[in-house]
Amino acid sequence: MKKRKQWILLFCIALTVCLASGAMLYVRQKNNNKKWSLIYIPKTEDGTNDFWTSLISGTRMAAQECGASLTILAPEREQDVERQNEFLAEAIEENPDAILFSPSSFDASDELLQEAKEKGIKITFIDSYTESNIQDMTVATDNLEAGKLLGEYARTLLNENSRIAIVSHVKGVSTAVEREQGFREGLGDYNKNVVEVVYCNSLFDKASQLTEALIEKYPDLEMVAGMNEYSAVGAARAVQKCGKEGGIQVVGVDSSQEAVQLMEKGVFKGIVVQKAFKMGYLGVMETVRMLKGKPYDENVNSGCQLVTPENMYSSEIEKLIFPFNVLGAD
């Protein structure tokens, strides 16, 4: 009788293990086969900005490859925080599996993001982040690294008396803060030569106007550094318009076809290029990996590369500055 009870007990344990294993396998297979619903809210979907065009293309390719449903909701202007939050509220109502978000403000979206979190929606930040540590994952360029790389290169073009101006994009946003900090670190003791920092609110024309004003205000200005595509290209346009290509050197972050052309003409001396397509691609792929319950990295650095007139025609660099045919260099 006692032996019979032992056999029954062993059978029950074995049955329980089999049922648990079967349930786990079922859940795993279900997760692998599920069509995950994703909503991505970038800062803008601006056809004149190669960075966002490339990044969004990367998200779409990844979604197609992994069979996820991806909806893009984007303001027309990068600094339109109010419209971005309207899209975020709309996305929360849709209740997707995950919201991928590129915050235009350091703190204006935190309340809505908390609401999404409480509903069980996973949050992935792409490109930038907010003040509160609310995200499940961040996929971005190391902006301190990008700024420092630019600053170290800029220093080689200057002397201890050179005067430098910074044209940044949106005051207080994480990318602007970190790139400026890194740029100053890269300049080293030349940091004391930064005469002024201005913000163009990610508008090409405003960046040009601000740069023209800086050129007039500081006749001995030797360098302008732009912290994103809008500010860098806008600054380069102004330097070219004023006929100062020989006297004022322009460096910046982000590439575009216009930036490449301006480098060929000698206006840009150096550009730190983000791997935008790769950033968008990894943003989606790693989010789906997270949703499937697989191991994932909470902070993914998508990388960056310094492009100069000396290396711009190498095959590796061409993959970055003409990003629409390839995923991007590793």
Side-chain angles (χ1 to χ4, degrees):
M1 187 72 177
K2 185 176 181 180
K3 186 176 287 188
R4 184 182 178 187
K5 287 183 178 179
Q6 288 176 336
W7 279 109
I8 292 173
L9 179 61
L10 288 171
F11 174 77
C12 289
I13 292 172
L15 181 61
T16 301
V17 170
C18 288
L19 289 172
S21 299
M24 289 175 64
L25 180 62
Y26 171 77
V27 170
R28 190 178 296 114
Q29 289 177 336
K30 184 179 179 182
N31 281 346
N32 286 335
N33 296 328
K34 179 176 178 180
K35 189 177 181 69
W36 301 99
S37 59
L38 312 176
I39 296 178
Y40 176 39
I41 307 171
K43 295 178 184 178
T44 185
E45 190 170 12
D46 180 357
T48 67
N49 184 292
D50 285 2
F51 173 80
W52 289 110
T53 299
S54 183
L55 193 155
I56 292 168
S57 294
T59 64
R60 287 180 169 139
M61 177 176 283
Q64 185 176 10
E65 287 185 10
C66 65
S69 168
L70 177 67
T71 300
I72 308 290
L73 301 174
E76 292 183 4
R77 296 177 295 111
E78 187 170 314
Q79 73 277 21
D80 194 345
V81 177
E82 183 178 350
R83 186 63 177 139
Q84 191 181 47
N85 278 342
E86 289 174 359
F87 281 132
L88 181 54
E90 182 180 326
I92 293 169
E93 285 296 315
E94 291 293 322
N95 197 30
D97 295 302
I99 292 175
L100 294 79
F101 191 59
S102 298
S104 292
S105 168
F106 199 48
D107 55 11
S109 304
D110 284 347
E111 188 174 330
L112 284 168
L113 290 166
Q114 183 61 44
E115 181 183 338
K117 192 85 169 181
E118 289 171 358
K119 288 187 70 172
I121 301 171
K122 295 292 186 180
I123 304 294
T124 295
F125 284 161
I126 297 179
D127 174 64
S128 53
Y129 56 88
T130 67
E131 186 174 18
S132 63
N133 191 27
I134 198 169
Q135 72 276 23
D136 297 285
M137 175 191 300
T138 302
V139 180
T141 302
D142 183 330
N143 286 293
L144 277 169
E145 176 191 1
K148 188 173 182 180
L149 187 63
L150 187 68
E152 289 173 344
Y153 175 72
R155 196 182 194 283
T156 67
L157 305 174
L158 303 168
N159 62 61
E160 60 183 12
N161 298 314
S162 299
R163 307 190 89 186
I164 310 157
I166 297 174
V167 180
S168 194
H169 37 301
V170 180
K171 189 172 185 178
V173 74
S174 64
T175 53
V177 172
E178 291 184 350
R179 288 175 198 169
E180 181 185 336
Q181 180 183 338
F183 181 70
R184 289 177 179 274
E185 288 178 7
L187 287 174
D189 58 348
Y190 287 9
N191 176 46
K192 67 181 185 299
N193 298 344
V194 175
V195 294
E196 193 167 341
V197 181
V198 295
Y199 298 89
C200 70
N201 290 328
S202 288
L203 296 170
F204 289 115
D205 289 345
K206 187 170 183 180
S208 294
Q209 292 164 8
L210 289 168
T211 303
E212 287 184 43
L214 288 167
I215 291 171
E216 184 175 352
K217 185 175 181 180
Y218 304 101
D220 55 350
L221 191 67
E222 290 188 30
M223 176 173 283
V224 179
M227 295 293 107
N228 77 343
E229 182 180 334
Y230 293 106
S231 53
V233 170
R237 288 176 183 174
V239 168
Q240 186 179 44
K241 178 183 176 182
C242 295
K244 296 288 185 177
E245 301 98 311
I248 299 177
Q249 304 180 87
V250 183
V251 296
V253 178
D254 285 344
S255 176
S256 67
Q257 299 313 298
E258 184 177 358
V260 172
Q261 292 167 1
L262 287 165
M263 180 172 282
E264 290 175 330
K265 293 176 180 178
V267 182
F268 269 114
K269 301 302 181 184
I271 307 169
V272 172
V273 181
Q274 300 185 81
K275 301 183 179 183
F277 191 99
K278 183 177 181 180
M279 190 189 302
Y281 184 90
L282 289 177
V284 168
M285 295 299 276
E286 291 300 307
T287 298
V288 171
R289 183 178 180 84
M290 173 178 63
L291 290 170
K292 289 181 176 181
K294 297 181 178 180
Y296 66 94
D297 190 349
E298 292 182 3
N299 292 285
V300 179
N301 179 7
S302 51
C304 60
Q305 176 74 49
L306 175 67
V307 178
T308 68
E310 290 72 34
N311 71 5
M312 66 185 294
Y313 298 112
S314 69
S315 59
E316 180 184 357
I317 298 302
E318 284 184 342
K319 293 177 183 178
L320 289 174
I321 60 180
F322 302 105
F324 300 104
N325 299 321
V326 293
L327 176 59
D330 292 329

